[in-house]
Amino acid sequence: MGNNDRLAERNRGFFRAHGLLVLNVLSSPGSGKTTFIQKTATGLAPRLRSAVIVGDLETDNDAARLKAAGATAVQITTGTLCHLEAGMVAKAAGTLDLKALDLLIIENVGNLVCPASFDLGEDLRVVLLSVTEGEDKPLKYPPMFHSAGVVIINKMDLAEAVEFNRDLAVANIRRVSPRAQILEVSAKTGAGMEQWFEFLLAQKAKVRA
Amino acid sequence: MGNNDRLAERNRGFFRAHGLLVLNVLSSPGSGKTTFIQKTATGLAPRLRSAVIVGDLETDNDAARLKAAGATAVQITTGTLCHLEAGMVAKAAGTLDLKALDLLIIENVGNLVCPASFDLGEDLRVVLLSVTEGEDKPLKYPPMFHSAGVVIINKMDLAEAVEFNRDLAVANIRRVSPRAQILEVSAKTGAGMEQWFEFLLAQKAKVRA
């Protein structure tokens, strides 16, 4: 068992003891992770109290954006490292008041390759695919999509403009990830977001039980 | 000097001896690399004779797309590796008739992090940023944009739909890459592509001299 997997399991136990639902949100750069997470954190309040841990090579732009929208956010900068590791998450989580939280959302570095093999101790992996990226991405980045518990098809408001083939995209996701929950949303307009919130509330109820 | 750098310099010498202009094309997944490269290869013919070496984790979809459009293409599948390496390129180039070519376009694995530190022996790094990804990407992935000789802002046909802030994007590119050539195109509609072709023809003239 590698060092990251060991620390990830420790995180998992620690988060479970706090009754937290923990998401690891992954996607290519520019799929809309930050907007999606911001709308999730603010849209779920006061039903769930959330905080966000954000990973980026440089800048604290995303944490600043999340804070400006009223979310609690901590930034991790990874330098040249293309993924978060469990130890970084443990350290960042230590700066949060976990007792006051129900949901911890980890926004990973924008990358469809490297973060796939790093467990952070999450309950659920959420992989975003935006309609502007093309329907073939699940086939081209299978380890990432294979590891997903949920695949969010985002930017549905642009589906028509980019001639998005929904059936093809869903079929491609199914080929690498037969059991993942698939949800179609536009974080920008809010379309489909309430269905996502209901899904998370059901997941959270399982963590509590 | 690392093994990759050694092989990259060997590639550089080998390609130069053949009078080839060699591009290393990089971007996030879904920025439109394959369409851009396809339109470049077909749009430049017969002025320049091109071939494409395509890297992907799995599938030969991109090579198949390029061949269907009339381009010469060789696929490299990297498995779980998030970048191409110089040795892979040398091997793939060995399957091409380089004497019959003027331009070799290498489409790297879709990733804004890992490929930045792997020289392939190219003359020019071309980094694509699509308007749907957001203006902040150069600041969040500085090593990649810093290494760019050319930054192509792609999918300009969607600029209005996504409320793309061109001046902000250009300012952000300039912050990490003060000297890169910046071109705005829509590979889909063809807008701006002739300017890109002129740029490449001028670069090719330098290689020949």
Side-chain angles (χ1 to χ4, degrees):
Chain A
M1 193 183 196
N3 192 46
N4 183 74
D5 284 339
R6 193 187 308 275
L7 293 175
E9 289 305 339
R10 196 181 299 171
N11 282 354
R12 191 165 277 116
F14 191 78
F15 294 147
R16 199 157 291 171
H18 281 94
L20 280 172
L21 176 65
V22 183
L23 310 181
N24 182 2
V25 182
L26 305 127
S27 82
S28 168
S31 302
K33 282 187 298 303
T34 308
T35 301
F36 176 75
I37 288 170
Q38 178 223 307
K39 296 292 181 82
T40 299
T42 53
L44 275 168
R47 291 174 287 181
L48 294 181
R49 299 162 298 168
S50 312
V52 187
I53 294 175
V54 194
D56 266 311
L57 301 194
E58 290 194 23
T59 82
D60 61 351
N61 290 4
D62 285 353
R65 268 175 71 190
L66 288 158
K67 283 177 192 166
T72 302
V74 187
Q75 182 84 43
I76 300 172
T77 51
T78 62
T80 56
L81 205 63
C82 55
H83 58 267
L84 288 176
E85 293 184 359
M88 300 173 186
V89 169
K91 201 174 158 194
T95 69
L96 293 167
D97 180 11
L98 298 182
K99 288 189 204 71
L101 295 176
D102 304 301
L103 176 65
L104 180 62
I105 308 176
I106 305 165
E107 178 179 346
N108 220 309
V109 178
N111 200 304
L112 278 183
V113 186
C114 334
S117 42
F118 288 83
D119 184 10
L120 304 179
E122 68 270 15
D123 295 299
L124 199 62
R125 283 202 181 187
V126 181
V127 176
L128 264 71
L129 169 70
S130 86
V131 300
T132 64
E133 292 165 45
E135 300 83 358
D136 58 341
K137 293 303 165 290
L139 304 183
K140 292 175 70 177
Y141 302 91
M144 180 61 79
F145 283 87
H146 183 70
S147 78
V150 184
V151 176
I152 302 284
I153 305 178
N154 191 25
K155 305 197 188 179
M156 284 300 289
D157 55 301
L158 296 174
E160 207 169 319
V162 298
E163 298 166 52
F164 179 65
N165 184 335
R166 182 209 167 267
D167 293 346
L168 178 58
V170 170
N172 286 344
I173 295 166
R174 282 279 162 261
R175 275 175 66 181
V176 291
S177 189
R179 282 182 302 278
Q181 179 83 19
I182 302 175
L183 291 168
E184 294 162 45
V185 311
S186 166
K188 191 180 174 187
T189 68
M193 290 298 283
E194 192 54 44
Q195 215 176 336
W196 161 241
F197 298 160
E198 293 301 330
F199 174 82
L200 285 183
L201 289 163
Q203 296 294 316
K204 177 65 178 73
K206 284 188 216 164
V207 172
R208 194 176 286 144
Chain B
M1 193 184 195
N3 192 45
N4 184 75
D5 284 340
R6 194 186 307 274
L7 292 176
E9 289 305 339
R10 195 181 301 173
N11 283 352
R12 192 165 278 117
F14 191 77
F15 295 147
R16 198 157 291 171
H18 281 93
L20 280 173
L21 175 66
V22 182
L23 311 181
N24 182 2
V25 182
L26 305 127
S27 82
S28 166
S31 302
K33 280 188 297 306
T34 308
T35 301
F36 176 76
I37 288 169
Q38 178 223 306
K39 298 290 181 79
T40 300
T42 54
L44 275 168
R47 291 175 285 181
L48 294 182
R49 299 162 299 167
S50 312
V52 187
I53 294 175
V54 194
D56 267 311
L57 302 193
E58 291 195 22
T59 83
D60 61 352
N61 291 2
D62 285 353
R65 270 175 68 191
L66 288 158
K67 283 177 193 166
T72 302
V74 186
Q75 183 83 43
I76 299 171
T77 51
T78 63
T80 56
L81 204 64
C82 56
H83 58 266
L84 288 177
E85 294 183 358
M88 300 173 187
V89 169
K91 201 173 158 195
T95 70
L96 292 167
D97 180 10
L98 299 182
K99 287 190 206 72
L101 296 176
D102 304 300
L103 175 65
L104 180 62
I105 309 177
I106 305 166
E107 178 178 346
N108 220 311
V109 178
N111 200 304
L112 278 182
V113 186
C114 336
S117 41
F118 288 85
D119 184 10
L120 303 179
E122 70 269 13
D123 296 297
L124 199 62
R125 283 203 178 188
V126 182
V127 176
L128 264 71
L129 169 71
S130 86
V131 299
T132 64
E133 291 164 46
E135 299 83 358
D136 59 341
K137 294 302 164 294
L139 304 183
K140 293 176 69 176
Y141 302 90
M144 180 61 79
F145 283 87
H146 183 70
S147 77
V150 184
V151 176
I152 301 285
I153 305 179
N154 192 24
K155 304 195 189 180
M156 284 299 290
D157 54 301
L158 296 173
E160 208 169 319
V162 300
E163 298 165 54
F164 179 66
N165 184 334
R166 182 210 167 266
D167 292 346
L168 179 59
V170 169
N172 287 343
I173 294 166
R174 281 278 163 260
R175 275 175 65 182
V176 292
S177 190
R179 281 182 302 278
Q181 178 84 19
I182 302 176
L183 291 168
E184 297 163 42
V185 310
S186 166
K188 193 180 173 186
T189 68
M193 290 298 282
E194 193 53 44
Q195 215 178 337
W196 160 239
F197 298 161
E198 293 301 329
F199 174 82
L200 285 183
L201 288 163
Q203 295 294 315
K204 177 64 177 75
K206 284 189 220 165
V207 172
R208 195 174 287 144

